[in-house]
Structure formats: structure tokens, C-alpha cells
Amino acid sequence: MKLVRYGRPGAEKPGLVDVDGTLRDLTKVVDDITPDLLTQTSLRRLRAVKTAKLPIVRGRPRLGCPLAGIGKMVCIGLNYTDHAEEVGMALPKEPTVFIKAPSALCGPDDATIRPRGGTKLDYECELAAVIGRDALNVDQGKALAHVAAYCIVNDVSERAFQMEHGGTTTKGKSADSFGPVGPWLVTADEIPDPQALSVAMRINGETRQSSHTSKMIFPVDECIAVLSQGFTVLPGDVIATGTPEGVGAALGKFLKAGDKMEAEVEKIGVLTNKIVAP
């Protein structure tokens, strides 16, 4: 299933995208797409709904962040072998972890607002795992059973804030609108192997990133297992699993107002976000 939220910001409605790509309304079935909907029981009930009888949503409404009430956006840094090579850094021995502020999250087609004083905006296309049940001290071999769905995250960054102004990585990752998520939640049954997906980023039509999740240093199941040793990973938490080579910082090509980012992950879809000046 592809679960989606649509409508103006703050008033999104729950929806479902059917096999033909038609957006259908779920408001008579559920109140919203929330973490409690990600349990196996709740997803089983949703799958039993006769999709053809759901109302069709006409037009092209705005899509919002596909999950309301995201708890933690946990990001894995330097998690692709090709990205480590392009920035000249040794492969990490354990996942590098940082947090993206919830206020940064936005819809898959919303504008990305350049923060005041921002001069080095960058993009990062990432596969994200959405947790469906508590994970604490989970074995790697059982970790994927805690994933309810997958989506895409564009981990937008302000590299000057991140690397030149002191503080931590989170500082350059958390400006408002720096976390496009979506375009929908693809339930885990449709992606049996998260290490078998192509990943790409296009800027104004030019392909900047083109890689594959098989190049992750720490696969999705290992990321979840390691994180669960440090804290409980909760339903509704989103784990952005890192980005491949081709980021603007490595290429010397930072984003400017008017640039269009298209982040794509195989079997999921595309996020399309334009940079706007404050």
C-alpha cells in the first residue's frame, strides 16, 4: 500500500494511492496517518478495505508529510562507500548518528526555504525506514520486522552552518523545510529487500547522485539494531539511512534560489522541491 496525506498544511487528510496511481480518500476509514496505524493489525485492516469503493480525490492536491506525529527523525551520516570516497574519509566502524528537528519536516513537493544567512545549501537523497513497533536491543536479523514502511527523505543541509559555525551536524540540518518526506509511505511488504533499490538526485534535470542501496556501509537492519542499543526506537520514528556520492559539497555546486531538486528512490517515487529565498 501507498499511504498518503493530502491537503493544505495543518489540515491534511488521509489517503491511499491505488495500483493505478489514483489518489483515494481514507477519511471514512481512518482519522489520519499516524504511528498507531503502523501496527501489523492496523495495516492488515487497511489492506482488507475495498480500494475500488474509496472516493477518488479529484485534481492535484498538495501532498503533505505522509505521517503525522513523527517522533524522531534519526539520520545516519557517511553511510555509503562511494560518498566516503568522494569526501576522502575513512569508512566508519559504527553508524554516525544525528537528529533532524521535527520542525524541519515538510511535504514532498513543498518549497525549501533558504535560511537567512545561508550560503551553502546542499541536497541528500536518502531511503528512510519508518518504524511500526518498539525496537530496543534488537538483533540485526530481526530488525526489519520492526519496519512498517519506507519513504524518501531529502536531507537538505546548510554546509556553512554545519561545518563552519561550530556546534553539531544537527545545526546545519534542521532549518524549517529542510526535511521533505514522502511522497507517501510504501508499506514494507512491497519492499522485501531495502538493499536492492536505486537512488538518484537530479538538480534542474541534471543527475547529481546515482547509486544503489547495496552500497550502504551499514544496511538498514544494522542501523536499526545499533540505534536500538542506545535508545528505544518507537513507532512513527523515521530513520534516514544516508546518502550516496554526488552531494553539492563534494562537487562544489551549492543550491541557489530557483533550483529544483528531484530525489528518487526505486519502488517508492520522487520528491520535488524548489529552493526559495527567505
Side-chain angles (χ1 to χ4, degrees):
M1 289 186 296
K2 292 182 175 68
L3 301 176
V4 67
R5 299 172 70 243
Y6 68 95
R8 60 183 177 83
E12 291 91 347
K13 299 178 180 179
L16 179 152
V17 177
D18 67 20
V19 293
D20 297 319
T22 301
L23 176 58
R24 294 182 178 270
D25 181 59
L26 275 176
T27 54
K28 292 184 178 180
V29 181
V30 297
D31 293 331
D32 204 347
I33 309 298
T34 54
D36 60 352
L37 193 68
L38 301 179
T39 67
Q40 292 182 353
T41 299
S42 295
L43 291 176
R44 192 179 304 116
R45 289 172 181 164
L46 268 183
R47 291 190 186 96
V49 172
K50 294 183 179 180
T51 304
K53 293 187 176 182
L54 294 173
I56 293 175
V57 179
R58 304 295 178 182
R60 300 187 65 181
R62 167 190 173 270
L63 298 184
C65 180
L67 180 63
I70 291 174
K72 299 186 287 291
M73 170 71 79
V74 185
C75 302
I76 309 298
L78 203 68
N79 196 29
Y80 278 74
T81 54
D82 51 14
H83 180 43
E85 290 170 1
E86 75 171 346
V87 296
M89 297 181 68
L91 301 186
K93 295 181 179 180
E94 290 192 17
T96 300
V97 180
F98 61 91
I99 299 291
K100 203 173 190 78
S103 54
L105 307 184
C106 62
D109 301 304
D110 289 345
T112 297
I113 303 167
R114 186 184 70 203
R116 187 172 299 177
T119 59
K120 295 183 178 180
L121 267 68
D122 208 346
Y123 50 83
E124 294 186 5
C125 179
E126 308 198 8
L127 170 70
V130 183
I131 301 301
R133 60 188 179 95
D134 290 8
L136 179 63
N137 296 319
V138 173
D139 293 334
Q140 182 175 346
K142 299 179 179 179
L144 291 185
H146 293 260
V147 177
Y150 295 92
C151 61
I152 307 170
V153 167
N154 182 357
D155 179 20
V156 183
S157 310
E158 211 306 318
R159 300 300 189 188
F161 292 2
Q162 177 187 354
M163 299 177 179
E164 300 170 17
H165 294 185
T168 66
T169 296
T170 297
K171 182 177 180 179
K173 302 280 191 172
S174 293
D176 291 356
S177 76
F178 269 26
V181 181
W184 31 67
L185 303 184
V186 179
T187 51
D189 58 300
E190 295 195 14
I191 302 179
D193 184 1
Q195 308 310 140
L197 306 172
S198 59
V199 178
M201 173 66 81
R202 295 177 293 276
I203 305 298
N204 301 326
E206 174 195 358
T207 298
R208 298 274 186 89
Q209 293 182 289
S210 180
S211 192
H212 198 272
T213 56
S214 62
K215 294 185 178 181
M216 285 185 188
I217 300 167
F218 307 103
V220 176
D221 56 3
E222 186 173 1
C223 289
I224 295 169
V226 170
L227 291 174
S228 77
Q229 294 171 6
F231 51 82
T232 303
V233 187
L234 297 168
D237 286 353
V238 176
I239 301 172
T241 58
T243 201
E245 68 174 340
V247 298
L251 299 174
K253 296 181 177 181
F254 294 109
L255 299 166
K256 60 185 184 301
D259 285 347
K260 182 173 76 171
M261 304 177 285
E262 295 175 283
E264 182 172 7
V265 177
E266 184 182 359
K267 295 186 178 181
I268 299 180
V270 182
L271 310 182
T272 303
N273 307 93
K274 286 188 176 182
I275 306 294
V276 299

